[in-house]
Amino acid sequence: MKTFKYLVVCVFATLTLMNCGGKEEKKKEGFTYEKVAYPEGKADLKEAENNSGNIVITSNDLMQFNTKEIKAKAGKKVKLTLRHVGKLDINVMGHNVVILKQGVDLLEFSAKAAVERENKYIPKNSQDIIAHTDLIGGGQVTSIEFDVPEAGIYDFLCSFPGHSGLMKGKFIVE
Ligand code: CO
């Protein structure tokens, strides 16, 4: 009887181990697992994150970007992805990334943008902007592609009213 119990435990343990091993394998191969983690529409983001030539910025419900500095090489095309990992609605905690031309005052631009609610806080026909993403809310992702300007240091910000005090940084072109 003792031997029988021992055998049962052994077989059970072996099966469990094999099962675990199988799952592990799948994760490492990356197919099923990755597709679940990055559903339709977010596959782009995964791609962006894997490609070091692209820029990925994360934003949250605490009115923060995850970085104060982004970099790119002059004269190349770059893809910039903005991801909002929060839960708050676009009308409460909307975020975008606006890269300003050199010489444009961030505070002045921010004040002009704040009244452009119907235009997602981007002043119409603005000559102050190099590139900007769409405005997004919690759980959303957006990407743009643009030509990197000449070498130098540029300001970037979120133009949602009241955000640029915290949500700003430098775009460094080398
Ligand atoms: Co914002």
Side-chain angles (χ1 to χ4, degrees), residues 98 100 104-117 121-123 126 128 157-165:
V98 182
L100 298 178
V104 176
D105 186 84
L106 190 141
L107 281 176
E108 271 174 36
F109 176 83
S110 201
K112 272 193 271 176
V115 298
E116 297 280 348
R117 185 190 163 93
Y121 306 110
I122 301 295
S126 176
D128 299 338
L157 71 147
C158 170
S159 68
F160 192 93
H163 284 201
S164 67

Side-chain angles (χ1 to χ4, degrees), residues 21-66:
K23 270 181 194 160
E24 202 67 32
E25 202 75 35
K26 236 183 200 171
K27 268 190 188 176
K28 272 179 195 155
E29 277 171 22
F31 300 106
T32 328
Y33 179 72
E34 306 261 310
K35 275 196 177 144
V36 172
Y38 287 88
E40 202 67 21
K42 292 191 180 176
D44 254 16
L45 174 63
K46 184 67 187 166
E47 204 180 289
E49 283 170 344
N50 285 340
N51 186 338
S52 58
N54 294 330
I55 300 169
V56 180
I57 302 178
T58 301
S59 57
N60 63 17
D61 282 344
L62 299 174
M63 217 190 284
Q64 295 164 326
F65 286 133
N66 68 325

Side-chain angles (χ1 to χ4, degrees), residues 17-162:
L17 277 175
M18 277 169 64
N19 216 3
C20 286
K23 270 181 194 160
E24 202 67 32
E25 202 75 35
K26 236 183 200 171
K27 268 190 188 176
K28 272 179 195 155
E29 277 171 22
F31 300 106
T32 328
Y33 179 72
E34 306 261 310
K35 275 196 177 144
V36 172
Y38 287 88
E40 202 67 21
K42 292 191 180 176
D44 254 16
L45 174 63
K46 184 67 187 166
E47 204 180 289
E49 283 170 344
N50 285 340
N51 186 338
S52 58
N54 294 330
I55 300 169
V56 180
I57 302 178
T58 301
S59 57
N60 63 17
D61 282 344
L62 299 174
M63 217 190 284
Q64 295 164 326
F65 286 133
N66 68 325
T67 180
K68 295 266 174 215
E69 206 179 280
I70 53 177
K71 284 182 180 175
K73 293 245 184 286
K76 299 217 164 168
K77 260 205 186 329
V78 71
K79 183 174 175 181
L80 187 155
T81 299
L82 172 66
R83 173 186 198 182
H84 191 324
V85 297
K87 290 192 165 64
L88 293 174
D89 190 81
I90 188 168
N91 295 308
V92 180
M93 191 53 69
H95 298 316
N96 61 13
V97 173
V98 182
I99 299 174
L100 298 178
K101 288 184 182 167
Q102 274 174 336
V104 176
D105 186 84
L106 190 141
L107 281 176
E108 271 174 36
F109 176 83
S110 201
K112 272 193 271 176
V115 298
E116 297 280 348
R117 185 190 163 93
E118 68 287 352
N119 202 32
K120 295 181 177 175
Y121 306 110
I122 301 295
K124 269 175 204 143
N125 306 318
S126 176
Q127 299 299 304
D128 299 338
I129 298 171
I130 287 173
H132 72 87
T133 69
D134 199 3
L135 188 74
I136 56 170
Q140 296 184 305
V141 173
T142 187
S143 289
I144 48 163
E145 265 188 33
F146 63 97
D147 295 316
V148 179
E150 64 185 43
I153 298 173
Y154 302 79
D155 286 313
F156 73 85
L157 71 147
C158 170
S159 68
F160 192 93

